[in-house]
Amino acid sequence: MQLVVARIGRAHGIKGEVTVEVRTDEPELRLGPGAVLATDPAATGPLTIETGRVHSGRLLLRFEGVADRTGAEALRNTLLIADVDPEELPEDPEEFYDHQLIDLDVVLADGTEIGRITEISHLPSQDLFIVERPDGSEVMIPFVEEIVTEIDLEEQRAVITPPPGLIDEREAVVASSRDEDQDEGKDEADEAPRGDA
């Protein structure tokens, strides 16, 4: 099975290094020196990682045969793809590969069906499940412990406890600090001493 593990960003320096946007929880395993990766577009690869290092919090890679800035810039926006055994599991039991989560049924704790995971969106702050509802609409569910309480691969389901309004907008509780400030101001005005008329 092929999994996207990174996207190449801009060139760094003049010796062929590139920044990469990491899309794997195991960069040391997938993006280490000697790793041979397929690419999208396919004509760019395969690419073999020659060196890797972290600089200012970003992973920098250099590939065999890419020795200057021009060659590095030509790789920009290329996706790096690793071959992964479908039976392979992450070392941490609390982590999952995207292919393990796609097509899981999403249900509430009481068994109520919400939909099916069709995509995982990897954002800088958190991952999102894109869930297709039975009516064809989509809902985005943050993949965080407080909301996704259980991933059961044997039963092929994800159990969630969503806050009000996440699944059904009619349940949303709208809180506005401006309303609270106005109420407090009104209360203070009511309590203000009145002068004699």
Side-chain angles (χ1 to χ4, degrees), residues 1-7 21-27 29-31 35-40 78-90 95-102 120 122:
M1 172 180 301
Q2 295 195 318
L3 297 177
V4 174
V5 292
R7 183 180 67 82
E21 173 192 312
V22 177
R23 296 190 181 177
T24 173
D25 290 331
E26 300 169 312
L29 177 65
R30 308 284 178 217
L31 300 170
V36 179
L37 301 166
T39 59
D40 181 8
T78 298
L79 296 178
L80 299 175
I81 302 165
D83 276 318
V84 177
D85 181 343
E87 302 300 313
E88 183 182 326
L89 299 176
E95 291 180 358
F96 302 93
Y97 294 133
D98 287 5
H99 72 269
Q100 295 175 287
L101 302 171
I102 299 292
I120 313 292
H122 299 281

Side-chain angles (χ1 to χ4, degrees), residues 21 55 59-60 74 124 196:
E21 173 192 312
H55 176 72
L59 180 60
L60 303 179
D196 294 331

Side-chain angles (χ1 to χ4, degrees), residues 54-58:
V54 176
H55 176 72
S56 299
R58 300 227 38 173

